Amino acid sequence: MRDEDGAVALEPPPGESPIVVLVRPQLAENIGAAARAMANGGLFHLRLVAPREGWPGPGQTNRAWATASGASRILEAAQVFATLDEAVADCQRVLGTCPRPRHVVIPLHTARDAARELRAAGARGLRHAVLFGPERAGLEAEDLARCDALVRYPLNPGFSSLNLAQAVMVMAYEWWVAADATPPRQLQTHKTRVATRGELEGLMAHLLAELDACGFLRNAAKRPGMVRNLRHCFTRGEITEQEVRTLHGVVAELSLGRMRRGRPEG
Amino acid sequence: MRDEDGAVALEPPPGESPIVVLVRPQLAENIGAAARAMANGGLFHLRLVAPREGWPGPGQTNRAWATASGASRILEAAQVFATLDEAVADCQRVLGTCPRPRHVVIPLHTARDAARELRAAGARGLRHAVLFGPERAGLEAEDLARCDALVRYPLNPGFSSLNLAQAVMVMAYEWWVAADATPPRQLQTHKTRVATRGELEGLMAHLLAELDACGFLRNAAKRPGMVRNLRHCFTRGEITEQEVRTLHGVVAELSLGRMRRGRPEG
């Protein structure tokens, strides 16, 4: 689903969000897909280092714009550099994503911790960037030597190769979540609210009266247990006030039907 | 990077990991990309409900296998169903991903909390599944009515439309991380270790001796402060034992050079 307004609305002030640096990206469609992932996570600033097919190269443009799926302003504002040194020359904090262990002495962050690190850098007013290597090979040793720290996502070690846009997605997602206040779980109640115990008891009273009338609870010894079990059915989940009213109707209609059936034919 | 071994090695026993159910997926390449994302997160069980292009349809197969990028066993083991009810008939816990608010009364989880929920279901031995809707429209009201709860990723509300494989990636990533024990940050030291304060003092002593010799610290009043600042340079980051030895060499060579230059020419 395109969301041009969203794409237009999402530009954060420079310095407040990390600059995404794609180092020697190979395919235009991956650059576009990365831009879409950036938009999903509220990132905006994109820098390209020596894109293999050039930027925007012949025919490239459309392919990138297509996979960007509405995040076109990120592509339009993207800056292109010949070398990584030029791309990060104005940055004060640089993290590099690196899926595979490399023989370097450098701090290593999980994606989640890196997100906190980036948020902290932004809060300090430091211009900060995250580097993503080429599709196949990833960042080279010379690239890593330009990073303050590396980011390695905890993922299935048996299958750790991420698509470029997927790698950007995970980092953008973690960056967004690092400042998100959504409660982990809530009950979405549309134009209604969770029923009170009083409303629930009203339903139970109605139900029990009808069940007594039809003899379902005739076994006096078993009655208390059966009533408790019925009560548990309604208290296990959070029944809403609207659902209580619906269930009142269900009980009434079922009893009515029973009485109708009870009436002699013709 | 393909990782056939990884793809072969990643099959978890049924019930221990969530079944990914793609409901009415439109494009074969998205099914393949979703399979790759599943492999990244250690998921294996894939079910397809009424894939628009059929499965495997004419020509579809290759496109899906190409984007799966090595996660072919997931595609080979994928099960196809005509309806969602059939696809989840054997499931005991069903979550549905739903980016946009819908007028239903249902528990709502963040992706992170949903991952904990899925891990808990697996630990209880419940067969559990996560539903992903079609690329454009997402899950319909009738699909949501088959879910115990919904999952909504906290993401940029101005641009919340996720590519299908990206949606699977975020959930698979969170599921993996929910059981991951990687320390948030660590220093990757290859064949070396963080230097002791004793080793650091040895370097400082060597450096200060040479700096005194060349007169860099001749200002007695400023000397203590300058020494403290130099010490801070080395203590701010974690210098390794190997780096201490390298820096000893640097100091020695620089002083040697100075003496050489000090020597009269010819």
Side-chain angles (χ1 to χ4, degrees), chain B residues 111-260:
Chain B
R112 191 156 301 166
D113 193 62
R116 285 189 285 263
E117 186 72 13
L118 294 168
R119 287 285 181 177
R124 290 168 58 200
L126 299 178
R127 183 166 289 126
H128 50 298
V130 189
L131 316 184
F132 295 87
E135 287 84 341
R136 289 253 166 260
L139 294 171
E140 293 171 1
E142 280 301 320
D143 304 319
L144 302 185
R146 270 108 179 130
C147 299
D148 296 307
L150 298 187
V151 187
R152 185 167 305 143
Y153 307 167
L155 282 171
N156 176 11
F159 198 87
S160 60
S161 136
L162 278 181
N163 163 280
L164 176 58
Q166 300 283 40
V168 172
M169 182 73 231
V170 168
M171 199 62 244
Y173 163 77
E174 282 285 9
W175 183 80
W176 182 274
V177 170
D180 178 73
T182 308
R185 71 181 66 184
Q186 50 192 310
L187 181 70
Q188 172 175 289
T189 52
H190 174 60
K191 289 181 184 164
T192 179
R193 53 169 177 75
V194 175
T196 65
R197 277 297 189 269
E199 289 159 343
L200 205 53
E201 282 312 303
L203 174 62
M204 283 302 294
H206 182 184
L207 177 62
L208 295 178
E210 292 296 346
L211 290 178
D212 279 323
C214 70
F216 181 77
L217 299 171
R218 75 175 70 81
N219 184 325
K222 291 193 174 165
R223 190 180 190 283
M226 293 171 78
V227 171
R228 274 197 305 277
N229 294 346
L230 283 169
R231 194 168 258 115
H232 276 300
C233 296
F234 294 116
T235 48
R236 192 173 302 132
E238 290 183 300
I239 300 280
T240 67
E241 177 275 338
Q242 194 173 51
E243 289 163 338
V244 165
R245 279 190 277 111
T246 306
L247 289 167
H248 269 293
V250 168
V251 172
E253 280 304 308
L254 287 175
S255 344
L256 204 63
R258 171 171 51 80
M259 287 184 277
R260 281 211 201 83

Side-chain angles (χ1 to χ4, degrees), chain A residues 1 6 102 136 158 166 188, chain B residues 1 6 102 136 158 166 188:
Chain A
M1 220 147 306
R102 303 291 286 271
R136 290 252 166 262
Q166 299 283 41
Q188 171 175 290
Chain B
M1 221 148 307
R102 302 291 287 270
R136 289 253 166 260
Q166 300 283 40
Q188 172 175 289

Side-chain angles (χ1 to χ4, degrees), chain A residues 204 208 217 222-232:
Chain A
M204 284 301 294
L208 294 178
L217 297 171
K222 291 194 173 157
R223 191 180 189 283
M226 293 171 77
V227 171
R228 274 196 305 278
N229 294 345
L230 283 169
R231 195 167 258 114
H232 276 299

Side-chain angles (χ1 to χ4, degrees), chain A residues 26-92:
Chain A
Q26 299 177 310
L27 303 172
E29 45 266 59
N30 288 340
I31 297 171
R36 180 182 183 176
M38 288 171 64
N40 290 136
L43 304 182
F44 183 80
H45 308 288
L46 175 63
R47 294 181 178 183
L48 307 174
V49 176
R52 194 183 65 181
E53 301 175 317
W55 183 264
Q60 305 313 323
T61 313
N62 299 343
R63 279 160 50 215
W65 261 248
T67 50
S69 184
S72 45
R73 291 208 49 250
I74 291 176
L75 296 179
E76 288 151 10
Q79 299 169 284
V80 183
F81 299 85
T83 67
L84 175 57
D85 282 329
E86 294 168 85
V88 297
D90 62 344
C91 295
Q92 295 157 292

